[in-house]
């Protein structure tokens, strides 16, 4: 399991982000902190694999905390999750070694895509570590693992067709409003189970937005629209 410390000054946001992390297989929330001092104290007691770190903290910035952690010898990996959009902050995050940078607000699929790419990076590095040295091909794979795929065709699961992905994208893009899996299946001429498989993949990779529509039955209907979650 990958242990994650969630750091955000907003208690509600920290809870939401922790809930998101808990939904991703292979990840476990090791704790929550709401200040840089709390985060540092937590790491001193219980080192974790990954820091999900806000930049705007009440006692110091997230990037200042990252710099202090490195000076103290902590090698915890960092994914920034912040409303800071200025290029200077983004550049500083890169220089201090943040592996990913996720701009608020975001949904579950946006965070999951970052966590999935981080997990892929760890697997790639661990696979190469046993050999002691890495050739250029392995080095390229390590750096490629950091990238969140932008193409809906990237890393398609076995049995999935790029043509069907394009068809579903066109249906959702032209619909003008969110569609249910049944509606997508009908318009695409595929079974509902097939439509659900593709929709689940596209939602997981952050290419479509999932919303819930509540009816009289009390059970929400999943509806999908093309475009990244916000």
């Amino acid at each position: 399991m990958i242990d994650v410390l969630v750091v955000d000054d907003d208690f509600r946001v920290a809870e939401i982000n922790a809930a998101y992390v808990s939904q991703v297989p292979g990840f476990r929330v090791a704790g929550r902190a709401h200040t840089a001092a709390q985060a540092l104290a937590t790491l001193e007691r219980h080192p974790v694999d990954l820091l999900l770190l806000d930049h705007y903290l009440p006692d110091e910035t997230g990037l200042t905390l990252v710099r202090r952690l490195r000076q103290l010898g902590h090698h915890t990996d960092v994914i920034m999750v912040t409303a800071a959009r200025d290029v200077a902050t983004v550049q500083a995050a890169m220089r201090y070694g943040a592996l990913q940078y996720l701009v608020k607000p975001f949904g579950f699929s946006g965070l999951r895509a970052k966590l999935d790419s981080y997990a892929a990076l760890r697997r790639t590095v661990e696979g190469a570590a046993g050999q002691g040295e890495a050739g250029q091909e392995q080095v390229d794979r390590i750096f490629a693992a950091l990238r969140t795929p932008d193409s809906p065709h990237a890393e398609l699961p076995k049995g999935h067709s790029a043509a069907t992905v394009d068809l579903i994208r066109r249906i959702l893009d032209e619909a003008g409003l969110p569609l249910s899996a049944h509606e997508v299946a009908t318009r695409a001429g595929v079974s509902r189970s097939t439509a659900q498989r593709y929709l689940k993949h596209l939602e997981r990779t952050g290419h479509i937005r999932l919303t819930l529509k509540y009816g009289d039955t009390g059970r929400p209907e999943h509806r999908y629209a093309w475009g990244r979650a916000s």
Side-chain angles (χ1 to χ4, degrees):
M1 295 291 287
I2 297 173
D3 287 327
V4 183
L5 176 63
V6 177
V7 185
D8 199 292
D9 68 318
D10 188 314
F11 283 69
R12 179 173 173 274
V13 171
E15 287 299 321
I16 292 172
N17 290 346
Y20 284 164
V21 171
S22 298
Q23 294 179 55
V24 182
F27 287 83
R28 175 173 57 199
V29 177
R32 301 166 187 77
H34 307 292
T35 67
Q38 287 179 359
L40 181 57
T42 300
L43 290 173
E44 292 285 359
R45 293 193 305 269
H46 306 290
V48 300
D49 302 300
L50 178 64
L51 205 59
L52 208 62
L53 180 63
D54 187 18
H55 180 57
Y56 297 120
L57 299 174
D59 47 351
E60 63 179 293
T61 67
L63 291 183
T64 302
L65 173 61
V66 174
R67 185 168 57 183
R68 281 214 296 147
L69 289 174
R70 301 305 182 232
Q71 291 171 344
L72 292 170
H74 291 282
H75 301 296
T76 304
D77 292 324
V78 176
I79 293 179
M80 299 295 298
V81 286
T82 175
R85 299 168 180 262
D86 58 288
V87 175
T89 301
V90 175
Q91 287 179 323
M94 294 172 62
R95 293 189 182 112
Y96 294 161
L99 296 178
Q100 298 279 10
Y101 196 105
L102 188 58
V103 177
K104 295 179 179 178
F106 54 84
F108 170 65
S109 59
L111 178 58
R112 174 161 188 169
K114 299 298 185 188
L115 294 178
D116 283 346
S117 66
Y118 172 72
L121 170 66
R122 286 176 61 95
R123 290 193 299 269
T124 304
V125 171
E126 288 168 3
Q131 302 179 28
E133 292 185 351
Q136 185 62 53
E137 183 178 348
Q138 289 175 310
V139 171
D140 289 343
R141 279 202 299 269
I142 290 171
F143 277 88
L146 286 171
R147 305 188 194 108
T148 303
D150 289 324
S151 169
H153 302 148
E155 298 183 6
L156 277 177
K158 186 177 180 180
H160 285 56
S161 161
T164 304
V165 169
D166 287 336
L167 175 60
I168 291 176
R169 172 170 58 179
R170 187 167 68 250
I171 289 169
L172 292 175
D173 200 32
E174 294 174 355
L177 73 168
L179 300 177
S180 67
H182 175 72
E183 291 169 328
V184 172
T186 299
R187 299 186 188 196
V190 300
S191 69
R192 181 171 179 173
S193 62
T194 296
Q196 287 176 324
R197 284 203 312 272
Y198 280 86
L199 290 168
K200 183 177 180 180
H201 166 70
L202 291 169
E203 193 273 331
R204 181 182 66 80
T205 55
H207 290 94
I208 62 177
R209 302 188 304 276
L210 168 64
T211 58
L212 300 178
K213 180 181 179 181
Y214 290 87
D216 297 331
T217 62
R219 205 171 163 188
E221 178 184 49
H222 289 195
R223 302 187 71 83
Y224 304 88
W226 189 262
R228 293 190 178 277
S230 60

